[in-house]
Amino acid sequence: MAKDHLVTPSYCCILAANFLLYFGFYLLMPVLPFYLTEVFHTGNTMVGIALSCYTVAALTIRPFSGYLLDTLARKPLYLISFFIFTTIFAGYLFAGSLTLFIILRIVHGFAFGTVTVSGNTVVIDIMPSSRRGEGIGYYGLTNNTAMAIGPMVGLFLHDFYSFPVIFLSALTSCSLGWIMASLVRTPPKEPVKRAPVSLDRFILIKGIPAGIDLLLLSIPYGMTTTYVAMYAKEMGIQKGTGIFFTLMAAGMAISRIFSGRQVDKGRITQVIALGMYLACGCFFVLSACETLMSWNPVLTPYIFFGIALFLGIGFGTMFPAFNTLFVNLAPHNQRGTATSTYLTSWDVGIGAGLLLGGYLGEITTLDRAYLFGACLTVVSAIYFRIKVGPHFEKNKLR
């Protein structure tokens, strides 16, 4: 039997839109700690607080955006939130104080929380259900490609150009992304009458155990994406830190191509467990890199960059599987709620990682912060085996 068509003009447009959105996002991610310390002369704790405002705003809005996506037409909400997200980059050009910067980050977080839930829901709507795992994998691959290029470009621009050039680059990328998003054709969806407001309209109740597990995993991930460049400089690795993100993204790209197909064969829990074990080992080795550097400063940089590749493989294996897990626990008219629960859990952990990474890095060292994160991945793996896996097998709808 012939496979359902996955590659359509709309699917290609939303892949391009997602890449350009995340390219603008990742362009700034490793640069903002330097921006805050160089322009506003903040300490690590304040860096963590200022950056976590973005994530807190995103996770606050996501349950509401999921409800709206399940109730109203999805594409208009996608385009409006994409437009707001794009215009905020222009606001950074005029942020002359830390207070104004934090306000802009909060608004940016609201927009990011909405546009990512919208994009993830729209792409599910326009792909055949028989190839959902594979389709989600390729969609996520655009994130990884942006992650491979964005941080490296951002750090390059930081070395040779001013911060306004970086903000303008992000603005241009997301503007092109909005144009591509506007070309996506979605199936018609009539507004749905809803029962009185209740908790399950904003959070997928059956997805809470998986959400807790994903939250624990995302804490060390948040520490890594934000503070790994500073960690490298502390160890004495002065050049090439942008390659870490490139290798991490390459690992995600490689694993997504294969993991999505395994998910479509029904091996969701097995795929997640495999990714967890790999990520767990990587974080323990990452936390040991500073000690290894004192023993062998020649070999340690190779280990450090090797971790990035295998860490990417671990998370790239898990992402499509986790996304599909949440969707398979929800009825079709709660796809937006399922997606928002998935992304909210991720954002809570990312925000906690930003705060904990900055705080632990200031009172101790970043290697101990990563050791703490590695311990959380162990807890996550145990919890998944005992609770999340059996819960999913019992409650899945498809």
Side-chain angles (χ1 to χ4, degrees), residues 165-354:
V165 172
I166 300 174
F167 295 140
L168 283 172
S169 299
L171 175 64
T172 302
S173 175
C174 291
S175 297
L176 293 173
W178 186 87
I179 294 172
M180 298 305 299
S182 67
L183 298 176
V184 175
R185 298 182 64 182
T186 58
K189 177 181 181 295
E190 296 296 327
V192 178
K193 289 186 178 180
R194 282 294 187 181
V197 175
S198 58
L199 182 62
D200 66 340
R201 303 305 178 195
F202 302 97
I203 299 173
L204 184 68
I205 303 300
K206 290 182 180 179
I208 290 177
I212 294 171
D213 202 65
L214 187 61
L215 185 156
L216 293 172
L217 278 171
S218 62
I219 290 175
Y221 185 91
M223 292 180 183
T224 303
T225 54
T226 306
Y227 299 107
V228 74
M230 288 185 167
Y231 182 47
K233 288 191 175 182
E234 282 186 4
M235 289 189 291
I237 302 175
Q238 299 294 334
K239 296 181 179 180
T241 52
I243 298 175
F244 186 96
F245 295 96
T246 302
L247 291 171
M248 190 172 174
M252 288 185 177
I254 293 168
S255 58
R256 277 183 184 272
I257 293 171
F258 301 102
S259 63
R261 294 175 182 174
Q262 295 303 311
V263 167
D264 286 336
K265 293 178 181 179
R267 299 166 184 160
I268 295 176
T269 55
Q270 297 93 321
V271 168
I272 292 174
L274 177 63
M276 280 183 172
Y277 299 147
L278 185 56
C280 181
C282 286
F283 280 121
F284 275 108
V285 178
L286 181 63
S287 68
C289 276
E290 189 158 355
T291 301
L292 293 173
M293 194 70 171
S294 63
W295 292 347
N296 194 327
V298 176
L299 179 62
T300 302
Y302 291 99
I303 296 175
F304 176 76
F305 290 115
I307 290 168
L309 179 65
F310 287 102
L311 197 60
I313 292 173
F315 278 100
T317 299
M318 287 185 282
F319 283 153
F322 257 118
N323 199 343
T324 304
L325 182 149
F326 278 88
V327 172
N328 286 0
L329 286 171
H332 294 306
N333 64 349
Q334 282 192 291
R335 282 178 180 170
T337 301
T339 301
S340 71
T341 303
Y342 161 68
L343 294 174
T344 298
S345 302
W346 182 251
D347 277 347
V348 171
I350 293 291
L354 290 173

Side-chain angles (χ1 to χ4, degrees), residues 27-41 89-90 92-95 101 154-171:
L27 190 70
L28 292 188
M29 180 172 282
V31 174
L32 287 179
F34 296 108
Y35 176 71
L36 291 171
T37 55
E38 292 173 17
V39 175
F40 299 117
H41 309 291
F89 287 108
Y92 290 141
L93 295 169
F94 306 101
F101 174 84
L155 290 171
F156 171 80
L157 292 174
H158 174 254
D159 288 338
F160 296 99
Y161 298 95
S162 64
F163 288 110
V165 172
I166 300 174
F167 295 140
L168 283 172
S169 299
L171 175 64

